[in-house]
């Protein structure tokens, strides 16, 4: 059973908001923060109290950048109060005309793909550019009778849409226990028994093959894991990658080329990208 966890909540006010908020979130993620909610003034960021230290923001360069003003306040939040916190900030997300990502307390929309998630402390609500673009990629791809992998699955939202699009089997993998538990809950909530959720890392891919692999993580992990993704792709397989910036496409594509993956197209939003590679 998931134990109650105390989190540290930072409320950031960022001026001007873009692109500084995206940079801030990326740097906080590298520092160990594990969940974010974008707000009209900036962002909320959460880190487990056990992972926090008083110098946690010392290496967040955007805070000291002369072109931006980044103010923050800090608070302690018990896990039991988390639902009330995110319910105040989580609005439904529409992706194209066919897909909505919403919470259980939102009104049911008239769309083809209605995804209901309770994100808790997991990443992947559709609010962040990378998740939104990956959802768009999935909407535009044929998953009928395909096997798929959602690597770094967070809430499980990408795996759920792949299943809704007709994938015959989907593995969802995340190294974080809270994400693992949360994805299990969301898969059950959306009634997709063809999704299998695992807790672990890229080592779980040994001996497995997929038609489509989806990985929304971060640049450094992707660069390390791309060779493993290639080994796990079937012939003519497709790899969707996100979690990095436009300027990182060159490094990511070079690594993909080394293992036989070719760039096909990318989506871009606020300097974040989601790229499609073919095997």
């Amino acid at each position: 059973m998931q134990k109650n966890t105390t989190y540290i909540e930072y409320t950031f006010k960022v001026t001007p908001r873009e692109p500084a908020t995206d940079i801030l979130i990326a740097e906080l993620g590298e520092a160990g923060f594990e969940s974010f909610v974008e707000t009209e003034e900036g962002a909320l960021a959460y880190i487990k109290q056990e992972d926090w230290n008083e110098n946690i923001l010392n290496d967040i360069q955007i805070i000291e950048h002369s072109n931006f003003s980044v103010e923050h306040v800090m608070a302690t939040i018990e896990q039991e109060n988390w639902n009330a916190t995110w319910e105040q900030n989580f609005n439904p997300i529409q992706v194209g005309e066919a897909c909505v990502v919403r919470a259980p307390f939102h009104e049911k929309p008239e769309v083809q793909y209605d995804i209901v998630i309770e994100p808790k402390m997991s990443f992947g609500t559709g609010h962040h550019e990378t998740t939104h673009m990956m959802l768009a990629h999935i909407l535009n791809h044929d998953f009928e009778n395909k096997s798929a992998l959602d690597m770094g699955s967070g809430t499980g939202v990408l795996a759920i849409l792949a299943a809704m699009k007709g994938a015959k089997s989907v593995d969802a993998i995340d190294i974080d226990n809270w994400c693992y538990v949360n994805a299990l809950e969301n898969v059950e909530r959306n009634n997709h028994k063809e999704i299998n959720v695992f807790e672990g890392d890229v080592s779980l891919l040994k001996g497995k093959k997929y038609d489509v692999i989806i990985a929304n993580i971060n640049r450094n992990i992707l660069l390390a894991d791309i060779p493993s993704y290639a080994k796990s792709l079937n012939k003519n397989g497709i790899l969707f990658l996100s979690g990095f910036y436009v300027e990182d496409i060159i490094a990511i594509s070079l690594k993909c080329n080394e293992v036989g993956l070719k760039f096909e197209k990318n989506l871009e939003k606020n300097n974040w990208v989601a790229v499609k590679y073919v095997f």
Side-chain angles (χ1 to χ4, degrees):
M1 179 179 293
Q2 179 75 25
K3 65 180 181 179
N4 284 344
T5 305
T6 298
Y7 279 80
I8 303 297
E9 175 192 71
Y10 280 81
T11 301
F12 291 95
K13 181 179 180 181
V14 184
T15 309
R17 187 177 177 277
E18 299 296 348
T21 301
D22 289 334
I23 298 170
L24 173 66
I25 289 174
E27 292 186 354
L28 291 171
E30 293 290 340
F33 285 77
E34 61 181 61
S35 186
F36 309 94
V37 177
E38 294 196 42
T39 67
E40 292 184 358
E41 293 188 322
L44 303 176
Y46 297 88
I47 186 171
K48 291 178 183 176
Q49 188 175 54
E50 63 197 62
D51 297 330
W52 177 86
N53 65 77
E54 60 183 9
N55 300 315
I56 193 74
L57 299 184
N58 284 1
D59 294 327
I60 308 303
Q61 298 179 16
I62 190 69
I63 292 178
E64 302 299 328
H65 200 290
S66 59
N67 290 343
F68 306 105
S69 170
V70 181
E71 303 173 7
H72 70 273
V73 294
M74 187 183 76
T76 301
I77 180 170
E78 297 293 336
Q79 180 63 62
E80 61 193 24
N81 296 325
W82 167 244
N83 282 358
T85 299
W86 72 258
E87 282 185 17
Q88 293 172 9
N89 297 284
F90 180 35
N91 296 314
I93 296 298
Q94 177 126 9
V95 184
E97 298 295 324
C99 178
V100 167
V101 182
R102 64 181 177 92
F105 55 85
H106 291 137
E107 184 178 348
K108 180 176 173 60
E110 294 298 324
V111 294
Q112 185 175 2
Y113 305 109
D114 176 31
I115 304 175
V116 183
I117 63 169
E118 192 167 346
K120 299 184 179 177
M121 285 293 177
S122 301
F123 179 84
T125 62
H127 289 80
H128 193 271
E129 287 87 344
T130 58
T131 309
H132 193 281
M133 289 185 293
M134 291 294 257
L135 289 166
H137 268 312
I138 295 171
L139 284 172
N140 292 325
H141 182 71
D142 178 18
F143 277 81
E144 196 68 34
N145 293 318
K146 302 287 179 63
S147 57
L149 165 68
D150 179 6
M151 194 73 198
S153 52
T155 62
V157 64
L158 301 180
I160 292 167
L161 182 57
M164 288 181 171
K165 287 277 293 178
K168 64 181 179 182
S169 64
V170 184
D171 287 347
I173 299 175
D174 203 293
I175 197 169
D176 181 78
N177 178 256
W178 185 252
C179 291
Y180 164 71
V181 173
N182 188 209
L184 283 173
E185 295 171 348
N186 289 326
V187 166
E188 182 178 0
R189 180 174 287 108
N190 289 272
N191 194 30
H192 279 282
K193 296 181 180 180
E194 66 273 41
I195 302 176
N196 299 298
V197 184
F198 301 95
E199 181 179 356
D201 58 17
V202 73
S203 64
L204 295 180
L205 303 188
K206 187 175 182 180
K208 293 188 176 183
K209 290 284 187 178
Y210 304 94
D211 297 313
V212 184
I213 294 179
I214 304 158
N216 182 17
I217 310 179
N218 67 54
R219 176 186 184 274
N220 293 336
I221 292 177
L222 292 176
L223 287 172
D225 291 352
I226 283 170
S228 295
Y229 301 156
K231 290 179 182 178
S232 297
L233 271 176
N234 288 323
K235 185 177 180 180
N236 300 319
I238 292 175
L239 176 65
F240 293 110
L241 298 178
S242 194
F244 52 95
Y245 296 111
V246 173
E247 52 266 34
D248 297 318
I249 290 180
I250 294 176
I252 295 290
S253 292
L254 284 173
K255 179 61 69 173
C256 285
N257 290 342
E258 289 176 6
V259 293
L261 288 158
K262 297 180 180 180
F263 173 93
E264 183 166 291
K265 65 179 292 187
N266 72 279
L267 303 177
E268 180 179 339
K269 192 173 184 180
N270 294 329
N271 206 44
W272 293 94
V273 290
V275 189
K276 177 182 179 180
Y277 295 92
V278 294
F279 198 40

